[in-house]
Amino acid sequence: MSPAPASSFAPPKPTPVWLGWLTFAFFIFTQIYAVVTSPADAMMGHLQKMMYVHVPAAWVTFAAFGVVLVASLFFLWKDDERADLLAASAAEVGSMFCGLTLVLGMLWGRPTWGVWWSWDARLTSTLVLFLIFVGYLALRSFVEDPHRRGQWSAAVGILGAINVPIVWMSVKWWRTLHQIQSNPRGLSPEYLRGLLLNVAAFTLLTVWFIWKRYEAARLERAAEHASQAAALGGYNG
Amino acid sequence: MGNEMIANGGVEYVAASYIITWVVLGVMLARVVGSVRRARSEYAQASKGEFQT
Amino acid sequence: MAFRDDVRRIRAIVWKDLTTERRSKAGFNSVASLGVTILVLFGFALGPDAQALRDAAAGALWLAVLFAGVLAFNRSYQVELDGGALEALLLYPGARWAIFAGKLIANLIFVTAMLVIVVAVGIVLFQVRVPEQWPTLLGIMMLGVVGIVALGTFYAAMSSRSRAREVLLPLLLYPMLIPVLLASMEATKAFLNGDLLNASGAWVQMLSLFDVIFLVATFLAFEYVIEV
């Protein structure tokens, strides 16, 4: 057998199958539970039910970006390719949830504020985060060399993470239109339980998606390495 | 009575947001599972090539 | 002293870049002309009402500087790559950050020269009333240029060595520049409206803070970006 020079070339352990089933079963349960148990809100009516998809999606977007930041820093620190692949997986999943958050926010904004979009700090910084995700993934697709791709995208990810709170701050300064941070403690318990359950379900979904993407990325690298080794005549004497 | 009107309004927005969420998650699920399956067969093929030499 | 050596290296790179630029004036002339052309296009988009033009002048000026400046950032590495000179530059002993500092200062001089032309033309085209304290205005604009050039020089180090560099640089750079641009535009606008350093002052403070943050971040990260 080949001596396996770096652990990132070995094929990964498969993502546990039970986690996938558990995740989706839990997700379906929390969605139905939240919609069925929540009474129509006095102010927003049934629109309140959008909270159970919009707020969890926003939360996991920022959590996924946190994973990108931490994995990027770890990659630059230890030069472990697995951290780079994890960052890339989290960026792919995060960008999907970020786009979903934006669309759901617009769908919520239209009937409540009367506009699809407003230039306030939270909306704008989420949009900028989405653009940074897009740039990050574009950079990865345009650079072939794995080491170079890792270092460059780590730099882009870290600077992007610095940028998002700065955008938030400057847009807040520029224009503050409406609503205070929606505070979970201000919610009545029948809404809060559904919200927290859905946040947990979305977090599980994100973990599972990132894990699967990471497994695929590791397998691709392992396959590349194995075919290179085969082309060189194989290490196995 | 005014409340009644508000409470029944906007149901189509709620339905749209849930449908969009489920469609996006479904697409993501298919993509993720597909990419793992593809990578696994790619790896199996590549490592088989290694053993043949 | 090691630091003196670094300063010498920086000076050498600045001098080299500016000499290349001076010998082939085509680069600067075309970039500055592009900046002016963009201003003209903004004039058509926003005019011909004089007051509307005046209100939008600050934003249009900054976007013209940005759009034209982006071309300069990729060029600054492109010239090196064509001759295979970047590898040689990296092989020389000394700190890598000195290369970044040299490139940054050269780009700073280049973009500032372009900014002077674009602003002069913009004042005429957009019928801007020149304020009494115009040196202060130049100071504000310099702060904005520092932010744009720091991030531009940094991202161009990557994009210029990748495929699809024309689209990659703006795609990476523009979202990062939103805070710097917003602060520059608002500070400039407040200043042009005669609001002498009341609203403008707060924006200038913010802009200085952003400059410091992004300068530190790009200097620290450049080591990793140029290494490979």
Side-chain angles (χ1 to χ4, degrees):
Chain A
M1 274 308 293
S2 58
S7 44
S8 65
F9 295 143
K13 285 201 207 78
T15 315
V17 177
W18 61 265
L19 183 64
W21 289 111
L22 176 79
T23 300
F24 279 91
F26 185 55
F27 171 72
I28 291 165
F29 163 72
T30 58
Q31 290 269 288
I32 294 170
Y33 174 85
V35 171
V36 168
T37 59
S38 63
D41 184 73
M43 292 286 288
M44 280 198 269
H46 289 299
L47 289 175
Q48 178 274 331
K49 291 182 173 48
M50 288 175 141
M51 180 197 285
Y52 303 128
V53 281
H54 177 62
V55 176
W59 146 247
V60 293
T61 299
F62 284 91
F65 200 57
V67 174
V68 175
L69 173 64
V70 172
S72 298
L73 285 169
F74 188 82
F75 175 72
L76 290 186
W77 181 38
K78 290 283 189 188
D79 204 12
D80 184 337
E81 197 189 358
R82 288 176 298 176
D84 174 50
L85 297 178
L86 177 63
S89 311
E92 271 182 40
V93 175
S95 63
M96 191 266 304
F97 277 114
C98 195
L100 183 64
T101 304
L102 289 168
V103 171
L104 294 178
M106 288 180 199
L107 279 171
W108 204 356
R110 175 68 197 172
T112 43
W113 307 328
V115 286
W116 294 102
W117 183 260
S118 88
W119 291 90
D120 91 322
R122 275 199 285 165
L123 271 70
T124 311
S125 44
T126 310
L127 180 59
V128 171
L129 177 60
F130 183 70
L131 295 175
I132 287 170
F133 269 135
V134 169
Y136 178 94
L137 294 173
L139 176 73
R140 292 193 73 90
S141 68
F142 285 133
V143 182
E144 275 89 25
D145 179 62
H147 192 238
R148 176 182 271 199
R149 182 175 60 208
Q151 293 214 314
W152 288 6
S153 53
V156 168
I158 293 166
L159 259 79
I162 296 173
N163 196 35
V164 170
I166 292 179
V167 171
W168 187 82
M169 192 174 86
S170 56
V171 176
K172 196 174 172 58
W173 193 264
W174 179 49
R175 179 171 193 181
T176 307
L177 255 185
H178 50 250
Q179 100 276 28
I180 335 106
Q181 190 90 21
S182 58
N183 190 344
R185 267 165 300 176
L187 282 172
S188 61
E190 63 255 39
Y191 298 139
L192 183 60
R193 204 176 307 118
L195 180 61
L196 289 180
L197 278 173
N198 273 292
V199 165
F202 271 70
T203 308
L204 264 181
L205 273 177
T206 308
V207 168
W208 188 76
F209 278 146
I210 293 176
W211 200 337
K212 282 297 247 189
R213 276 304 294 152
Y214 174 69
E215 186 191 345
R218 287 280 305 275
L219 278 167
E220 275 163 28
R221 289 292 295 140
E224 261 172 54
H225 182 70
S227 59
Q228 267 168 20
L232 291 173
Y235 293 103
N236 47 329
Chain B
M1 283 304 103
N3 260 359
E4 196 69 15
M5 200 189 71
I6 298 171
N8 288 328
V11 178
E12 65 273 20
Y13 288 99
V14 178
S17 62
Y18 276 84
I19 290 169
I20 288 174
T21 304
W22 293 337
V23 167
V24 167
L25 291 177
V27 170
M28 193 67 187
L29 174 68
R31 275 193 46 163
V32 158
V33 170
S35 72
V36 171
R37 190 165 298 163
R38 217 172 320 119
R40 209 171 272 163
S41 72
E42 212 174 284
Y43 176 72
Q45 211 151 22
S47 50
K48 205 162 49 187
E50 189 184 23
F51 292 132
Q52 273 165 4
T53 51
Chain C
M1 291 310 300
F3 184 71
R4 275 249 291 282
D5 289 343
D6 283 331
V7 171
R8 262 202 1 252
R9 277 186 203 105
I10 295 170
R11 220 168 41 210
I13 291 172
V14 174
W15 182 82
K16 169 188 76 64
D17 275 16
L18 290 179
T19 310
T20 325
E21 211 50 70
R22 199 166 36 100
R23 296 231 171 103
S24 71
K25 286 192 196 67
F28 179 78
N29 289 348
S30 48
V31 169
S33 312
L34 178 66
V36 171
T37 311
I38 293 170
L39 274 185
V40 174
L41 295 183
F42 271 118
F44 284 115
L46 303 164
D49 176 44
Q51 192 54 46
L53 283 174
R54 223 171 272 143
D55 289 342
L61 282 176
W62 278 108
L63 289 185
V65 169
L66 174 67
F67 292 157
V70 161
L71 298 179
F73 303 140
N74 261 338
R75 269 175 52 86
S76 123
Y77 292 94
Q78 194 55 43
V79 178
E80 308 264 6
L81 291 171
D82 288 345
L86 194 61
E87 278 80 8
L89 206 57
L90 291 172
L91 282 177
Y92 290 133
R96 294 282 160 77
W97 64 262
I99 299 176
F100 185 60
K103 291 264 168 218
L104 197 150
I105 293 169
N107 279 336
L108 209 55
I109 294 170
F110 185 92
V111 173
T112 306
M114 183 190 72
L115 177 109
V116 169
I117 295 175
V118 168
V119 169
V121 175
I123 283 174
V124 176
L125 286 182
F126 287 75
Q127 310 178 21
V128 176
R129 295 189 196 90
V130 182
E132 299 264 310
Q133 291 92 340
W134 58 268
T136 316
L137 181 64
L138 273 186
I140 294 173
M141 298 197 105
M142 277 315 296
L143 280 177
V145 170
V146 168
I148 293 176
V149 169
L151 286 169
T153 310
F154 176 75
Y155 280 94
M158 291 183 266
S159 63
S160 63
R161 290 187 288 155
S162 72
R163 292 186 288 126
R165 73 179 78 89
E166 288 82 6
V167 62
L168 195 56
L169 180 60
L171 189 62
L172 292 173
L173 182 59
Y174 290 170
M176 291 299 295
L177 277 178
I178 287 172
V180 169
L181 276 175
L182 184 60
S184 307
M185 285 170 179
E186 289 298 312
T188 310
K189 195 193 281 175
F191 194 82
L192 284 180
N193 288 344
D195 176 3
L196 292 180
L197 290 179
N198 285 334
S200 194
W203 281 112
V204 167
Q205 279 172 14
M206 263 191 154
L207 185 53
S208 318
L209 176 68
F210 297 163
D211 280 356
V212 172
I213 292 172
F214 286 126
L215 275 174
V216 171
T218 47
F219 264 94
L220 288 176
F222 187 73
E223 203 84 359
Y224 296 103
V225 163
I226 203 69
E227 183 184 285
V228 278

